[in-house]
Amino acid sequence: ETGVTQTPRHLVMGMTNKKSLKCEQHLGHNAMYWYKQSAKKPLELMFVYSLEERVENNSVPSRFSPECPNSSHLFLHLHTLQPEDSALYLCASSQDLAGGKNIQYFGAGTRLSVL
Amino acid sequence: GESVGLHLPTLSVQEGDNSIINCAYSNSASDYFIWYKQESGKGPQFIIDIRSNMDKRQGQRVTVLLNKTVKHLSLQIAATQPGDSAVYFCAENPSYGSARQLTFGSGTQLTVLP
């Protein structure tokens, strides 16, 4: 148990569906992240939040919409996805963005399949 | 652009032997490095880290070596066990204090043979 919980663990959706991924961290951290992990590719950083404010958006298509209602919860809202969006979506948290090691702790991920 | 890469995508070792996983990085300004382990069906798990002012750091059964001259780091696992089978990622951070610039390599699959 890393202290970062992601739900659902698996998700199958059609291209016209709308779904949301949820992440919750129990570590008292201030920063949270969304990553995309595709087969045989490095982790791709999608979004970064610090104290509920988005501080990084790495040119992610608008069909991915993040939401951070508080420092413990992070959502990724999905709509009109494409088959190439099928991947493992990982959430991570770190104590802060700056001032120390800021090791990122990861959840187990949501395996997303877009049909 | 900057990149973090691994020399070998797969590595097989006999149980009980030592494992060495290598990582090359291209950003000479990188200040901080982390090794993660990702088991099947799980997210990456922190193993050990090292700052650029060090060339060696030891943990429990693991050692990370950093060679800044050739921009290379390695993860050594002593007495490899079946539970060590996983994908291992190195990650670099140009700035020790800034978590959001972490760049990950593509990973090495370690398989422990009985």
Side-chain angles (χ1 to χ4, degrees), chain B:
Chain B
E2 306 297 339
S3 65
V4 176
L6 297 169
H7 291 312
L8 296 172
T10 62
L11 177 66
S12 297
V13 297
Q14 292 292 139
E15 182 178 353
D17 287 352
N18 296 334
S19 303
I20 300 176
I21 301 171
N22 296 304
C23 182
Y25 64 95
S26 56
N27 184 355
S28 57
S30 287
D31 186 41
Y32 180 50
F33 303 88
I34 305 175
W35 280 100
Y36 282 91
K37 169 187 180 183
Q38 186 173 20
E39 297 176 83
S40 180
K42 297 183 179 180
Q45 177 187 1
F46 170 81
I47 302 174
I48 192 168
D49 58 353
I50 189 168
R51 287 193 69 181
S52 60
N53 60 356
M54 303 172 68
D55 52 22
K56 180 179 180 179
R57 189 151 190 248
Q58 288 186 291
Q60 187 177 9
R61 277 201 311 118
V62 294
T63 300
V64 56
L65 299 177
L66 176 62
N67 186 331
K68 293 179 287 292
T69 303
V70 295
K71 291 182 285 188
H72 179 271
L73 69 159
S74 65
L75 177 71
Q76 300 179 0
I77 305 173
T80 312
Q81 302 170 359
D84 295 327
S85 291
V87 176
Y88 290 81
F89 300 90
C90 64
E92 65 172 316
N93 193 334
S95 173
Y96 174 69
S98 176
R100 67 192 194 193
Q101 295 173 319
L102 209 59
T103 302
F104 289 83
S106 52
T108 291
Q109 173 72 58
L110 174 66
T111 301
V112 181
L113 306 172

Side-chain angles (χ1 to χ4, degrees), chain A residues 72-108:
Chain A
S72 298
H73 293 85
L74 186 65
F75 294 89
L76 187 62
H77 303 300
L78 316 172
H79 65 97
T80 60
L81 293 193
Q82 304 298 311
E84 59 264 29
D85 296 322
S86 298
L88 181 67
Y89 288 85
L90 290 161
C91 172
S93 71
S94 65
Q95 182 60 57
D96 290 291
L97 280 188
K101 287 190 175 185
N102 289 312
I103 295 165
Q104 293 182 29
Y105 295 89
F106 287 83

